[in-house]
Amino acid sequence: MVNMARAVTLNIWGRGSAWRRRLPLVRNELVRLAPDFVGLQEVWRKGSRCQAEQIADALGYHVAYAPAHTALNRATQGNALLSRAPVARYEVLPLPTPGVEPRSVLCAEVGSTTVLVTHLTWEWEYAHIRQEQVRFLAELAELAAGHAGHGVVLLGDLNAAPDTDEIRWLTDRMQDAWAYGGDGPGHTYTPANRHARKAREPARRIDYILTTGLRAEHTELAFTTSHLTARGSLWPSDHFGVVCDLASGPHRPPDAAAPTER
């Protein structure tokens, strides 16, 4: 099991506004953070062109890509893992998505750590589908944790706030890194980000790092710095990311005097 590792998750907003100008912002933040694992959501690939590989170019990461659905132009959107260490093996598993856009989870073995990268159904009215999806993820994490010495880290845009039924159910079975190592509400989708403001949605924490058999030492938001351009402020994505330092060993209970959500 890893003694200490840094994990990051970020929904990169696919080919959303100004990808070419946002790409160096994503790369620069990864250079600053120097994570061991990076989970990416809304990653597009067409032919030999892949956004995850564009990000990883010259940064020294191994790339594993997991398509979720295919567009009419044969481009795929899905999840990706960037890993400092070689990925021993990985598989792409479909999530339960009855009647809605397909979703998947990338399940990768890196050393003695199993890394899951995923992106759940987004529509608010489909909470019942997300409940099916988190049950699938919990079973997958439990199975992976059954391997001797294996820690599990889930990196994902779960499209639900911590007080929803689906997230409360999941965090009863996996440890929420923000609850153990974060400070404040930790909103990752917020009108404070100009790109997210257009959606006119309330500020929420919907991007997570969850663990089994690994301890969150410190957790904070990342990709939160905007850059002023001639067209206005530019953020790396419409989401903020999460970065967490992980160690092996049991979790300590969260500080009851310092609630993470209000």
Side-chain angles (χ1 to χ4, degrees):
M1 185 178 294
V2 296
N3 293 319
M4 181 65 76
R6 173 167 284 187
V8 163
T9 188
L10 176 69
N11 180 322
I12 67 169
W13 197 20
R15 298 174 297 188
S17 179
W19 165 244
R20 290 185 180 180
R21 292 189 291 130
R22 293 190 293 109
L23 173 58
L25 305 186
V26 174
R27 289 167 52 85
N28 290 344
E29 181 74 332
L30 289 179
V31 170
R32 183 184 75 84
L33 296 172
D36 300 283
F37 307 119
V38 184
L40 303 174
Q41 300 85 38
E42 286 194 28
V43 181
W44 282 94
R45 183 179 68 178
K46 185 177 182 182
S48 62
R49 299 176 60 187
C50 176
Q51 288 181 300
E53 292 179 357
Q54 286 181 305
I55 293 170
D57 186 38
L59 295 183
Y61 287 104
H62 301 269
V63 178
Y65 179 75
H69 73 92
T70 303
L72 293 177
N73 64 356
R74 298 186 181 180
T76 61
Q77 186 189 82
N79 309 295
L81 171 66
L82 311 185
S83 173
R84 288 284 183 202
V87 177
R89 59 178 295 274
Y90 77 95
E91 57 183 335
V92 182
L93 302 172
L95 290 178
T97 52
V100 298
E101 180 182 271
R103 300 282 167 150
S104 71
V105 55
L106 187 157
C107 180
E109 290 184 12
V110 184
S112 58
T113 302
T114 297
V115 185
L116 308 177
V117 186
T118 195
H119 184 192
L120 303 191
T121 296
W122 69 269
E123 293 92 338
W124 288 20
E125 65 270 26
Y126 290 146
H128 63 288
I129 294 178
R130 285 190 295 277
Q131 289 170 9
E132 292 185 48
Q133 293 170 346
V134 297
R135 288 187 178 92
F136 183 93
L137 293 172
E139 291 176 3
L140 191 60
E142 183 179 7
L143 182 64
H147 293 285
H150 257 235
V152 181
V153 56
L154 188 156
L155 310 171
D157 173 0
L158 305 187
N159 272 314
D163 61 352
T164 58
D165 289 343
E166 54 267 41
I167 299 301
R168 286 186 299 186
W169 188 93
L170 185 58
T171 53
D172 279 344
R173 290 154 179 81
M174 299 185 73
Q175 286 70 55
D176 178 359
W178 192 270
Y180 288 89
D183 182 37
H187 294 150
T188 58
Y189 197 77
T190 167
N193 182 322
R194 182 175 66 89
H195 302 322
R197 194 177 307 150
K198 299 175 183 178
R200 297 184 178 180
E201 295 182 8
R204 295 174 293 152
R205 180 161 72 90
I206 62 175
D207 300 86
Y208 296 82
I209 297 177
L210 303 175
T211 66
T212 297
L214 295 171
R215 183 176 71 251
E217 293 288 298
H218 178 73
T219 311
E220 64 182 37
L221 295 178
F223 303 91
T224 59
T225 301
S226 64
H227 294 255
L228 187 62
T229 72
R231 301 178 185 179
S233 297
L234 183 71
W235 273 266
S237 175
D238 61 340
H239 286 238
F240 294 150
V242 183
V243 56
C244 179
D245 292 322
L246 299 169
S248 58
H251 256 298
R252 296 180 292 272
D255 183 359
T260 59
E261 295 297 325
R262 295 183 180 178

